[in-house]
Amino acid sequence: MSIFKLGLIINPIAGIGGSVALKGSDGEGIAEKAKLLGAQAKANDRAKLALEILLPYRQNIEIYTANALMGEDIARSLGFKVTVVYQALSSETTAQDTEHTVSALLAEGIDLLLFAGGDGTARNVCHMVGDTFPVLGVPAGCKIHSGVYAVTPKAAGRVVEMMVTNQLVTLTEADVMDIDESLFRQGIVKAKRFGEMKVPCELRYIQAVKSGGKESDELVLQDIAADVINKMDDELFIIGSGSTTAFLMEELGLENTLLGVDLVQQQTLLANDVTEPQLWQHLEDNPEEKVKLVITLIGGQGHIFGRGNQQLSPRVIKAIGKENIIIIATKTKLSALQSRPLIADTGDSEVDNLLAGFMVVTTGYNDEVLYPVASPQ
């Protein structure tokens, strides 16, 4: 099992005002007032409940975090391997400490960002990542209006456990909400939406299902095709080989090369069965062009590169960028891998390592899962 890189942020004072009727921890001097009234911070205890679920996998997890009470202390006490990426200058941490930690964690190439706090913490995280990176909240604040939090700390640990053990998890978009605590202390609840983030949760079959919860492949393929087609604007779409991508081309009404690579722009066919030199030449001649690559996996094996699509060479993949790769597959096809990761075998170890980690797989219309990608061993 490969090492899972878990980013961890704990807001040490989250929820500290709740037990002494201060309705939260936001606001100047609130945390200090709560301590004077005898309140004790519980955020680290809540994070501990989530991390304890992961103890059986300790050898396969490395936690990247900030110093002391922002994550380091609790992670080390549980015996996890820990890398500190940010040093808060004071034990009285601030929103800026949270945001700086997020930046440092993203630079480390983490697989998931786990944070413990309340709605204010969620706002800080959202400010830095938006909906571009998977996050999961451990509820530790007085007010949890945001949908980015698991229902309990242990539930958060269970979702991370699923990812560590390469199980399918649904990737969903959830709202980040917060209320005005100054008004809340006057008995007025005024919530506001601040954005949304992508959150992993237990796998759900929400569309195109037959009785018994099994997917109907043709209906699911139609949903997948509709999702990709809906994203087709002015970018160049490179369509890889395979029967799943062939279904997409069929839905577009375009001629398809089942075992080749085709070029599509504005839902119009530009070229069939392009070679690697032709593809590379196009990318070189159009350096400013926005490009998306649509690929699928080989059923039963899980290869996404290096088997039947050598036109997609390491230099082509690097030029396109990992963030511009759209993997499409049914959940049934992914489940058939029995938790084995997808394989990137490009022939270039640098590119293979670049692709390693968790990638988003489109599994329906507005339906995505996170799934691990590994380089060949």
Side-chain angles (χ1 to χ4, degrees), residues 4-207:
F4 186 90
K5 301 173 72 173
L6 178 63
L8 174 66
I9 299 176
I10 300 173
N11 176 359
I13 63 169
I16 196 171
S19 64
V20 289
L22 292 179
K23 313 297 189 296
S25 58
D26 294 350
E28 187 175 351
I30 294 297
E32 291 78 7
K33 184 177 180 180
K35 290 177 182 178
L36 289 174
L37 291 171
Q40 294 183 341
K42 299 292 186 181
N44 268 266
D45 293 337
R46 304 283 281 177
K48 182 180 180 182
L49 291 172
L51 294 177
E52 283 177 336
I53 300 295
L54 305 175
L55 288 177
Y57 317 100
R58 217 167 16 192
Q59 301 305 312
N60 302 107
I61 298 173
E62 182 167 0
I63 293 180
Y64 293 76
T65 187
N67 66 314
L69 292 176
M70 285 192 72
E72 178 188 12
D73 289 355
I74 195 65
R76 289 198 190 280
S77 73
L78 292 172
F80 287 97
K81 182 180 180 182
V82 176
T83 297
V84 176
V85 300
Y86 177 77
Q87 295 277 348
L89 299 179
S90 169
S91 59
E92 301 295 329
T93 60
T94 65
Q96 287 70 37
D97 287 315
T98 297
E99 294 185 0
H100 291 326
T101 305
V102 172
S103 293
L105 291 174
L106 295 178
E108 293 291 336
I110 57 172
D111 294 312
L112 175 72
L113 173 53
L114 184 72
F115 64 93
D119 286 333
T121 309
R123 283 176 58 184
N124 299 146
V125 174
C126 183
H127 181 245
M128 302 305 293
V129 305
D131 61 356
T132 64
F133 190 83
V135 306
L136 181 61
V138 176
C142 293
K143 49 189 175 59
I144 304 291
H145 290 76
S146 298
V148 297
Y149 285 96
V151 291
T152 66
K154 288 186 177 181
R158 294 295 180 197
V159 173
V160 180
E161 178 186 35
M162 293 176 69
M163 294 182 66
V164 172
T165 55
N166 292 347
Q167 297 179 57
L168 288 179
V169 294
T170 290
L171 191 62
T172 186
E173 292 185 346
D175 286 338
V176 176
M177 307 288 292
D178 200 1
I179 63 173
D180 186 321
E181 286 190 6
S182 61
L183 292 177
F184 190 43
R185 293 180 184 111
Q186 301 171 43
I188 302 170
V189 178
K190 186 175 182 181
K192 180 180 179 182
R193 181 180 180 277
F194 286 88
E196 60 186 20
M197 293 194 284
K198 290 189 174 182
V199 181
C201 57
E202 291 187 77
L203 183 66
R204 55 196 169 98
Y205 286 83
I206 60 170
Q207 307 177 88

Side-chain angles (χ1 to χ4, degrees), residues 285-340:
D285 291 344
N286 302 274
E288 303 301 320
E289 186 175 40
K290 295 181 179 178
V291 179
K292 298 290 185 183
L293 169 62
V294 182
I295 59 171
T296 190
L297 55 121
I298 296 180
Q301 296 182 19
H303 286 82
I304 54 174
F305 291 110
R307 301 292 188 275
N309 57 6
Q310 280 79 6
Q311 303 94 323
L312 304 174
S313 65
R315 63 177 181 174
V316 166
I317 295 168
K318 287 178 70 174
I320 294 169
K322 181 179 180 179
E323 69 279 7
N324 294 313
I325 297 173
I326 301 172
I327 305 174
I328 59 175
T330 66
K331 290 173 183 172
T332 300
K333 198 171 184 179
L334 291 172
S335 296
L337 295 175
Q338 298 180 328
S339 299
R340 299 192 305 274

Side-chain angles (χ1 to χ4, degrees), residues 220-258:
V220 173
L221 289 172
Q222 289 175 350
D223 276 354
I224 292 171
D227 185 272
V228 176
I229 292 169
N230 190 51
K231 295 172 181 174
M232 286 185 165
D233 293 322
D234 296 331
E235 300 105 321
L236 172 70
F237 274 72
I238 302 170
I239 311 297
S241 58
S243 58
T244 305
T245 49
F247 193 95
L248 167 63
M249 293 292 282
E250 183 179 327
E251 290 292 287
L252 284 165
L254 303 176
E255 182 183 350
N256 168 249
T257 310
L258 180 63

